[in-house]
Amino acid sequence: MTPQEILSLVKQRNPNEPEFLQAAEEVIVSVWPVLERNPEFVRLRLLERMLEPERLISFRVNWLDDQGNVQINRGYRVQMNSAIGPYKGGLRFHPTVTPSVLKFLAFEQVLKNALTGIPMGGGKGGSDFDPKGKSDDEVMKFCQAFMGELARHIGHRLDVPAGDIGVGGREIGYLFGAYKKIKNEFTGVLTGKGIGWGGSLIRTEATGYGLIYFAEYMLQEKKDSIKGKTCLVSGSGNVAQHAIEKVIQLGGKAVTASDSTGFIHDEAGFTQEKLDFLKDLKNKRRGRIKEYADKYKCEFHALAINHEENPLWNIPADCAFPCATQNEINEKDARNLLKNGLKLLGEGANMPTTIEAINVLIDNGVLYSPGKASNAGGVATSGLEMTQNYMGSNWTSDEVDSRLHGIMKNIHDTCLAAAKEYGKPGNYLIGANIAGFLKVAKAMQAQGVV
Ligand code: NDP
């Protein structure tokens, strides 16, 4: 077998699933040297088995909108791999959700969760439901209908979903309430819960904070730091907000944020006060990002994402943190970043950079971290939330934050060690893929052909 043969097999089995095939190709190429060293992994077809979900559940979700009209959505849960622990991974509510998107996210999640060092398998789920423009009552009714089916497939020792795009604290609350009602039990079946009913301090902040801790560790390798660095951030949701917050706290300057309507460029940089305005705008009032530009008299550019070339990535900066969605940086964007002197790109979103763009960055010496390593702080802290739920106790912010620091450092060092061992020193992409793959592969090997 060659990497191309495995990829064409995966293509045959998963036609019309471009996002899943993109994620699969990146990993197949990266982990090939591991298979060459371990013929037993090839015989057991561990990579091909990892690329096949253990279970893919698809279901109808019916609910009544505020006008009494019947609405129909699709719900999904992809239970990708449970070799090292219960399935774990977020729920995404967005019109672009398809089996392909969820399978790519679930596959990435398997390797990411393995990197955290916490015993969690990988899964992902969601719906094509769009919470945008819906009333709180409609979101609640949808969440209750969605959980009406999902509840039979999840459990605190079986599969523990969390948030993702379109699923924040409000949605987790409604989903948890519905699960508790259906099952008549109070367990840590979801993470990202509210403080006071099983949630963990720092879970909300963890993905964005962890991303910047990871970037700081990468820069430290080069005797450098975030301090004084100009940073581009895309997105304005959970991950983007807390990445910006940590950049501010570490003395860097975050100058952009975006949503699906466009991006703002604030040359003076975010302050905590401006960020608080953004948080209120996005989390409470659920408004559009242009309001930020109107308030702080800075530039607004319409339609930032999914264009041939995104002007956000053509702003001179030292660091870039894509924190919105998949494939938001293409080869042209990468060349623009490079031309403007970029030193580091840390992925906050999952797969925000195309394969071609990644190659441009790595080949030109930019420090690049894949999301499965640098955004793993979120799921790691979800793992800490699960531990606190099992123990029936709560840790302080400092305790969780210091564990988050330790986990990000450990992932960083694990990636570097694996990259070095396989002859690609400093390549975080190859390091992350190999280290995550090895952990899951060894567990699958030990557990037999099941
Ligand atoms: P949110 O829903 O809180 O925010 C998402 C942001 O990205 C919004 O600003 C949204 O704009 C924008 N966005 C989403 N989809 C699109 C699209 N198709 N085109 C343009 N803009 C888009 O999500 P999160 O911050 O939680 O997630 C962001 C990324 O981080 C995702 O890739 C997610 O998988 C990843 N991630 C999240 C983790 C978490 O803990 N939350 C953990 C690890 C990874 P708008 O408001 O207009 O929709």
Side-chain angles (χ1 to χ4, degrees):
M1 274 271 193
T2 64
Q4 283 66 35
E5 280 166 346
I6 294 204
L7 186 63
S8 61
L9 198 74
V10 178
K11 277 185 182 157
Q12 267 172 32
R13 290 175 69 77
N14 304 277
N16 309 316
E17 297 199 347
E19 295 87 0
F20 178 58
L21 293 173
Q22 182 182 340
E25 182 177 357
E26 180 208 290
V27 173
I28 292 169
V29 173
S30 301
V31 305
W32 200 254
V34 182
L35 297 184
E36 285 178 333
R37 274 196 208 178
N38 295 277
E40 188 62 4
F41 286 1
V42 178
R43 189 184 72 80
L44 292 171
R45 302 187 69 191
L46 293 177
L47 180 55
E48 293 106 297
R49 281 159 62 193
M50 248 182 244
L51 284 160
E52 191 66 33
E54 289 179 11
R55 202 170 293 106
L56 193 159
I57 302 145
S58 167
F59 51 96
R60 187 183 70 193
V61 187
N62 294 157
W63 55 283
L64 288 174
D65 68 18
D66 286 347
Q67 284 69 47
N69 301 314
V70 175
Q71 299 289 340
I72 307 168
N73 286 100
R74 281 195 185 150
Y76 306 94
R77 186 72 182 162
V78 181
Q79 297 181 330
M80 197 75 190
N81 194 296
S82 60
I84 63 168
Y87 307 106
K88 179 92 196 87
L91 297 171
R92 177 175 291 192
F93 291 170
H94 196 273
T96 56
V97 163
T98 60
S100 169
V101 167
L102 294 178
K103 279 164 67 181
F104 115 65
L105 288 165
F107 181 57
E108 291 276 301
Q109 195 82 46
V110 171
L111 302 178
K112 179 190 313 192
N113 293 2
L115 285 172
T116 65
I118 299 172
M120 299 181 288
K124 202 84 188 188
S127 172
D128 58 358
F129 171 76
D130 188 358
K132 241 183 271 154
K134 305 288 190 302
S135 70
D136 283 353
D137 279 354
E138 288 176 324
V139 171
M140 180 178 75
K141 283 184 279 181
F142 173 80
C143 287
Q144 290 172 343
F146 180 82
M147 188 52 88
E149 174 63 29
L150 187 70
R152 68 184 85 218
H153 306 291
I154 60 175
H156 72 136
R157 301 275 185 190
L158 166 65
D159 183 354
V160 183
D164 190 76
I165 291 177
V167 179
R170 174 183 61 170
E171 290 75 16
I172 293 290
Y174 294 147
L175 291 164
F176 185 77
Y179 182 87
K180 188 162 63 65
K181 171 104 180 161
I182 295 163
K183 293 286 188 167
N184 199 25
E185 62 179 29
F186 194 116
T187 60
V189 67
L190 294 164
T191 56
K193 300 185 289 300
I195 308 302
W197 45 279
S200 172
L201 290 163
I202 307 290
R203 172 60 190 94
T204 312
E205 295 84 352
T207 309
Y209 280 16
L211 166 67
I212 304 304
Y213 294 156
F214 196 94
E216 189 74 338
Y217 292 129
M218 290 168 88
L219 288 164
Q220 275 173 16
E221 287 292 310
K222 306 282 173 201
K223 311 272 179 280
D224 203 348
S225 78
I226 290 274
K227 196 160 188 228
K229 298 271 184 305
T230 299
C231 302
L232 305 177
V233 177
S234 65
S236 51
N238 173 279
V239 181
Q241 290 169 15
H242 297 102
I244 292 171
E245 189 156 84
K246 195 46 82 179
V247 167
I248 298 171
Q249 288 172 8
L250 294 182
K253 187 159 97 164
V255 295
T256 58
S258 70
D259 67 14
S260 49
T261 62
F263 73 91
I264 58 103
H265 179 198
D266 184 349
E267 275 191 64
F270 271 92
T271 58
Q272 189 64 45
E273 184 219 313
K274 291 175 177 176
L275 178 61
D276 290 343
F277 175 85
L278 183 74
K279 285 185 181 177
D280 184 70
L281 172 68
K282 284 292 170 185
N283 307 346
K284 296 211 175 104
R285 293 188 287 119
R286 299 180 191 274
R288 313 314 293 159
I289 197 134
K290 184 170 181 306
E291 264 195 57
Y292 178 99
D294 294 342
K295 165 121 178 136
Y296 293 109
K297 309 277 174 271
C298 66
E299 287 172 37
F300 169 73
H301 299 257
L303 287 171
I305 294 178
N306 293 341
H307 283 73
E308 268 185 23
E309 182 179 340
N310 184 342
L312 193 163
W313 307 120
N314 203 2
I315 296 169
D318 306 296
C319 304
F321 299 107
C323 297
T325 192
Q326 61 271 13
N327 292 330
E328 45 171 321
I329 297 183
N330 62 24
E331 186 178 347
K332 182 82 182 78
D333 297 320
R335 292 199 185 281
N336 286 338
L337 287 164
L338 201 64
K339 169 193 83 190
N340 290 325
L342 190 82
K343 294 185 174 60
L344 176 148
L345 188 145
E347 293 186 344
N350 287 307
M351 207 170 74
T353 321
T354 64
I355 294 180
E356 298 77 24
I358 295 171
N359 289 336
V360 165
L361 297 171
I362 293 181
D363 291 349
N364 287 282
V366 172
L367 288 170
Y368 162 81
S369 65
K372 62 173 75 71
S374 48
N375 73 27
V379 72
T381 309
S382 277
L384 301 180
E385 182 174 329
M386 287 164 73
T387 306
Q388 291 170 79
N389 292 165
Y390 293 146
M391 290 165 42
S393 66
N394 297 308
W395 294 332
T396 62
S397 293
D398 286 348
E399 166 93 49
V400 180
D401 197 30
S402 105
R403 285 175 190 259
L404 174 62
H405 260 293
I407 290 168
M408 298 316 293
K409 173 82 172 106
N410 194 37
I411 297 173
H412 172 271
D413 295 353
T414 301
C415 292
L416 280 189
K420 190 168 173 211
E421 192 189 330
Y422 280 84
K424 297 279 181 188
N427 187 321
Y428 289 87
L429 175 70
I430 289 184
N433 285 335
I434 287 183
F437 172 78
L438 266 173
K439 177 147 187 196
V440 180
K442 284 178 185 166
M444 290 175 73
Q445 182 182 25
Q447 291 170 22
V449 183
V450 288

